[in-house]
Amino acid sequence: MKCIIVDDEPLAREAVQLLVEETPGLNLSGSFADATSAGEFLSGNNVDLVFLDIRMPGIDGIEFAKTIRPDTLVIFTTAYSEYAVDSYQVDAVDYLVKPIELERFQKAVEKARDYLALLSANTQKSSVETVTQEHIFVKSDRRYFKIQFKDIFFIEGLKDYVVIQTTEQKIITHMNLTTIGKQLPATDFLRVSKSYIVNTRHIDSFDNNDIYIKTFEIPIGSSFRDTFFEEFVTKNMIKGG
């Protein structure tokens, strides 16, 4: 995968570059101190992935991410964990807090690699075809997949697609999160951020900011937090005497 680094701190750029060099399959195409120079490079060059800082002089990372072409993925790298939820408002693949450990970095890259493979395999527009009380049929890569609602962990919006994570596989289809959300049983599924709908039956644990399902960590959006606690937490917590 071709990638670039955008960060106003020289030491931070060097740190991410070392991580890139330690990660098989990544090729660094450029390193930039500001969004303007990075934007000029992207206007004439195609890359797969951008490692992007958020707090930068001039155009910040969130605003710059909104200008990046849809087929280029973004992983945010920042020292400020409070921006995590904002990062998912612009369809970021992941959010890494500095100092970044190699294992965590490579996990984010693998996620981006999976998405690129899924996106390249789905060149045709796809959609929900049929819905019953127990399952949904989704067209993906010229095939129709029967997905049992009970087997869905969560659904993630990514660019112009949604990724359905089930107990066995990931399935990607061309639609937005709102469209597929209307097809899901409201008794089990709850939207918890701009980018995620979760199956509440699979929630293993949660805190004020994140939901944990198996090995997946799903952020709770600030504008969805009250609904999550009202619709799920209040109904499922054991009341004290």
Side-chain angles (χ1 to χ4, degrees):
M1 289 191 297
K2 294 180 180 179
C3 67
I4 64 170
I5 300 165
V6 187
D7 197 309
D8 64 306
E9 295 287 341
L11 289 178
R13 292 198 302 275
E14 290 179 14
V16 176
Q17 181 171 341
L18 289 174
L19 292 168
V20 169
E21 292 171 354
E22 289 290 321
T23 304
L26 277 184
N27 297 303
L28 186 63
S29 298
S31 184
F32 305 92
D34 58 77
T36 300
S37 57
E40 291 174 353
F41 177 83
L42 290 177
S43 66
N45 299 272
N46 293 328
V47 302
D48 302 303
L49 182 60
V50 178
F51 295 101
L52 178 60
D53 187 24
I54 292 181
R55 290 187 62 173
M56 297 186 295
I59 303 171
D60 67 24
I62 297 290
E63 291 304 311
F64 179 56
K66 296 175 182 177
T67 70
I68 294 174
R69 52 189 295 172
D71 58 351
T72 300
L73 302 180
V74 172
I75 294 177
F76 282 108
T77 59
T78 180
Y80 302 93
S81 59
E82 64 267 26
Y83 289 108
V85 172
D86 290 336
S87 73
Y88 289 101
Q89 305 303 310
V90 289
D91 296 319
V93 170
D94 212 334
Y95 179 97
L96 302 176
V97 179
K98 303 170 185 175
I100 305 167
E101 296 182 353
L102 178 61
E103 182 179 359
R104 180 68 180 87
F105 180 85
Q106 292 182 339
K107 183 178 179 180
V109 170
E110 187 62 29
K111 185 178 180 183
R113 186 178 288 113
D114 287 346
Y115 283 148
L116 285 173
L118 288 167
L119 290 170
S120 63
N122 284 269
T123 56
Q124 294 184 345
K125 291 189 175 182
S126 308
S127 63
V128 170
E129 296 298 321
T130 60
V131 183
T132 72
Q133 291 184 336
E134 297 182 350
H135 66 261
I136 189 171
F137 268 98
V138 172
K139 186 180 180 184
S140 179
D141 192 25
R142 300 178 296 279
R143 292 176 58 190
Y144 294 86
F145 290 85
K146 181 180 180 180
I147 305 172
Q148 299 287 343
F149 290 132
K150 64 182 179 61
D151 292 335
I152 298 174
F153 283 161
F154 60 85
I155 302 172
E156 179 182 3
L158 179 70
K159 304 291 184 179
D160 297 324
Y161 295 82
V162 294
V163 180
I164 305 170
Q165 177 67 59
T166 74
T167 55
E168 301 293 334
Q169 62 183 328
K170 288 179 181 178
I171 295 173
I172 191 168
T173 189
H174 191 287
M175 73 177 74
N176 61 53
L177 206 60
T178 299
T179 299
I180 195 169
K182 293 176 181 178
Q183 314 296 327
L184 304 172
T187 53
D188 294 337
F189 290 87
L190 186 63
R191 189 161 183 172
V192 296
S193 74
K194 179 179 178 291
S195 300
Y196 285 93
I197 295 172
V198 301
N199 186 341
T200 58
R201 291 182 179 273
H202 285 292
I203 292 177
D204 295 316
S205 62
F206 60 88
D207 55 32
N208 197 48
N209 298 307
D210 298 288
I211 294 166
Y212 302 89
I213 298 176
K214 298 297 184 283
T215 60
F216 302 100
E217 183 177 331
I218 299 155
I220 303 172
S222 56
S223 60
F224 294 83
R225 187 171 290 112
D226 289 345
T227 300
F228 173 70
F229 278 88
E230 290 171 5
E231 295 294 325
F232 175 73
V233 180
T234 304
K235 293 178 181 178
N236 289 277
M237 293 294 284
I238 297 175
K239 304 295 190 299

